[in-house]
Amino acid sequence: MRTAYSVDSVRAAERALMARVPDGALMQRAAAGLAVACGQLLGRVYGARVVLLVGSGDNGGDALFAGARLARRGAGVTAVLLAPDRVHGGGLAALLRAGGRVVDAPVGGGADGSAGADGSADGSVDADASADASADGSADADGSAGVSERALAALDGARLVVDGIVGIGGKGGLRAPAARLVRAAAASGALIVSVDLPSGVDADTGQVRGDAVRADATVTFGTYKPGLLVDPGREYAGAVRLVDIGLDGELGAHDAALEALQYADVERLLPVPGAESDKYRRGVVGVVAGSARYPGAAVLCVAGALRAGAGAVRYVGPAADAVVARFPEALVSAGPPAAAGRVQAWVAGPGLGDDDAFLRDAVAADVPVLIDADGLRLVDVSAVRGRDAPTLLTPHAGEAAALLGVSREEVEGARLASVRELAARYSATVLLKGSTTVVASPGGGAVRVNPTGTSWLATAGSGDVLSGLAGSLLAAGLGAGDAGAVGAFLHGLAGRLAAEGAPVGAQDVAEAVPLAWRDVRGA
């Protein structure tokens, strides 16, 4: 299991560990790991030009100590100081002793005014603070306020730029001087490596509220931060490397904010039939989906359920002919769901249109229910909140926005807050689909984030396949959180295997689910 911890938990763990180790030991461990990662990215360190963008916090100190290590290996290292009067003294001295150069970023060498509105972070501002204020409160029309020409020139010819501007406590986007340097770094063609977290990304949420660093790689210390694993922050982080600095023993006293299943975790959760299994022991899933207008939704939902190992699929709805034509093994019924026969879980909603009669019947059943698509629009909130059996809601960002009464952009920019709010409001487990799929339980606890997937899954009917897949896992006996997380993992992996870098349809994804299953079990 890959876990991520909040900023408060990380800081508490660091304080506890620093009380037991020599002064500066944690920073030296972090700097050593950062230097190794930078050296591997460079390939040849000797003669390489490296530029450090250095703020006043510990991330700036990490960058300076790592730069000193690279300079001792023959790299030409220049540190661009965004706050020269607040730079980490030990790190700066180490760099100078190793032969590194220093350039002040602010015009005139004074403080550049890049601290956040609360004074806590170089180069960033709070969400409501001005993003274009320079040291004297003015800004050039091109947004280059307060940046010296020497600082910009230092980036010419650089092969690697290390972003040590803002630490994990930074809030809001980069201020104008830092943003100007970051844009110049991106234009230089150099590889960009962020220290712990890309500057401008919120460590706890992954939100980006203005200018931020888009790194090729991020070297993070001690544990993952939620913002590295959830979009939009995940997109800014590039490839993420975790450096062990000894926090594991201290973090055990804190609850993880985020979890990501790995292959071994999924393999342990996969329901595998035994010698005594029959179709009922394997799980029978009922599907209430499709309509005269959208028969394909029923077909795709049944496909996902069958490919995910359901012992049997009972289909209820007007698309029975289309379902049986594609899957003769499906058991079809004219309805209502209560009269369809024994099931261990229901999937309701894909392609229903405006008819909610069968949906209400399925929601009233005393078995786990997955509600998706039109079902999310039609379902009665009080009926969901009043259920005793588990409920799994699977909205995409637009559907989540409608359920919360906010804009789609708000949901996409704050995935963790949105999925937690939905789970609490509906007293249900919620799987929020998207570029980062996240699963939250109504009782709180760590949010599950899905590590698999591909942008090719953004195709019509893909969500219907996921609904059938996760519904099959519910019927097999997995809890709602596990069914959602494992279903998303297999669905994302099936999308990768089906696409292999090319466009795919939802049927291709369904057909690839057994491949994903075998890949997990054989890993």
Side-chain angles (χ1 to χ4, degrees):
M1 184 84 71
R2 179 178 292 175
T3 54
Y5 289 82
S6 70
V7 171
D8 287 346
S9 294
V10 171
R11 285 178 167 166
E14 288 176 342
R15 285 194 297 270
L17 183 58
M18 283 190 289
R20 297 189 291 103
V21 299
D23 186 40
L26 261 62
M27 183 169 285
Q28 290 300 330
R29 293 175 188 177
L34 176 61
V36 168
C38 290
Q40 290 173 341
L41 285 169
L42 286 168
R44 179 181 171 84
V45 174
Y46 188 85
R49 292 191 61 185
V50 176
V51 176
L52 317 175
L53 303 182
V54 180
S56 66
D58 286 348
N59 280 25
D62 296 333
L64 288 166
F65 278 118
R69 290 171 179 265
L70 295 172
R72 288 197 294 269
R73 293 175 59 186
V77 181
T78 300
V80 177
L81 308 183
L82 277 84
D85 57 337
R86 291 180 288 130
V87 69
H88 190 282
L92 181 60
L95 178 67
L96 293 173
R97 284 196 303 270
R101 298 174 56 247
V102 174
V103 173
D104 290 351
V107 173
D112 69 339
S114 63
D118 62 357
S120 62
D122 298 305
S124 70
V125 296
D126 288 339
D128 59 349
S130 170
D132 59 0
S134 66
D136 61 1
S138 64
D140 295 337
D142 65 355
S144 60
V147 182
S148 71
E149 290 300 320
R150 288 185 63 212
L152 294 171
L155 292 162
D156 292 341
R159 285 183 54 201
L160 184 76
V161 174
V162 178
D163 157 35
I165 302 171
V166 181
I168 59 175
K171 300 293 182 183
L174 296 173
R175 301 193 75 165
R180 169 70 173 178
L181 284 168
V182 168
R183 286 194 294 272
S188 73
L191 289 170
I192 298 177
V193 178
S194 285
V195 180
D196 219 8
L197 184 86
S199 296
V201 172
D202 189 295
D204 280 338
T205 68
Q207 290 177 268
V208 177
R209 298 188 182 95
D211 289 310
V213 173
R214 285 186 178 269
D216 296 291
T218 297
V219 181
T220 198
F221 310 122
T223 183
Y224 294 97
K225 286 73 184 177
L228 294 171
L229 304 181
V230 178
D231 280 332
R234 182 176 71 167
E235 179 186 349
Y236 284 72
V240 178
R241 171 179 291 191
L242 176 64
V243 172
D244 180 10
I245 59 172
L247 289 185
D248 286 352
E250 306 299 337
L251 286 168
H254 303 271
D255 292 330
L258 213 64
E259 297 175 344
L261 296 181
Q262 303 300 291
Y263 270 75
D265 305 307
V266 176
E267 183 182 15
R268 283 192 295 270
L269 290 168
L270 288 180
V272 179
E276 299 299 318
S277 295
D278 58 27
K279 63 185 178 185
Y280 294 107
R281 289 188 177 93
R282 291 186 63 185
V284 178
V285 60
V287 173
V288 175
S291 58
R293 185 177 182 185
Y294 303 113
V299 173
L300 291 168
C301 192
V302 170
L306 286 170
R307 294 293 181 262
V313 177
R314 294 190 187 277
Y315 171 75
V316 181
D321 290 345
V323 169
V324 172
R326 181 68 179 84
F327 300 109
E329 64 267 45
L331 310 172
V332 301
S333 169
R342 177 182 173 186
V343 300
Q344 277 83 36
W346 282 104
V347 175
L352 284 184
D354 295 321
D355 188 352
D356 68 346
F358 286 178
L359 171 69
R360 285 187 279 110
D361 198 49
V363 172
D366 190 25
V367 297
V369 173
L370 183 152
I371 305 173
D372 185 31
D374 288 330
L376 297 168
R377 176 174 54 85
L378 299 171
V379 75
D380 182 352
V381 177
S382 61
V384 174
R385 291 183 60 89
R387 283 177 46 79
D388 292 325
T391 307
L392 176 59
L393 310 180
T394 59
H396 56 56
E399 292 160 342
L403 293 172
L404 291 171
V406 300
S407 70
R408 182 181 186 124
E409 290 71 24
E410 287 180 74
V411 171
E412 290 177 333
R415 291 185 177 276
L416 293 179
S418 297
V419 74
R420 287 178 176 132
E421 172 63 21
L422 277 173
R425 186 176 298 188
Y426 281 82
S427 295
T429 300
V430 178
L431 184 158
L432 177 57
K433 296 178 284 194
S435 58
T436 305
T437 294
V438 289
V439 182
S441 299
V447 172
R448 292 266 182 88
V449 58
N450 182 48
T452 66
T454 169
S455 57
W456 295 116
L457 279 170
T459 185
S462 175
D464 302 332
V465 174
L466 174 58
S467 294
L469 198 168
S472 177
L473 296 171
L474 278 175
L478 269 66
D482 285 340
V486 172
F489 191 102
L490 291 173
H491 183 257
L493 186 55
R496 287 187 191 175
L497 293 170
E500 292 187 340
V504 291
Q507 289 189 68
D508 302 316
V509 177
E511 293 297 326
V513 170
L515 297 177
W517 195 292
R518 284 192 287 270
D519 189 47
V520 168
R521 294 203 67 205

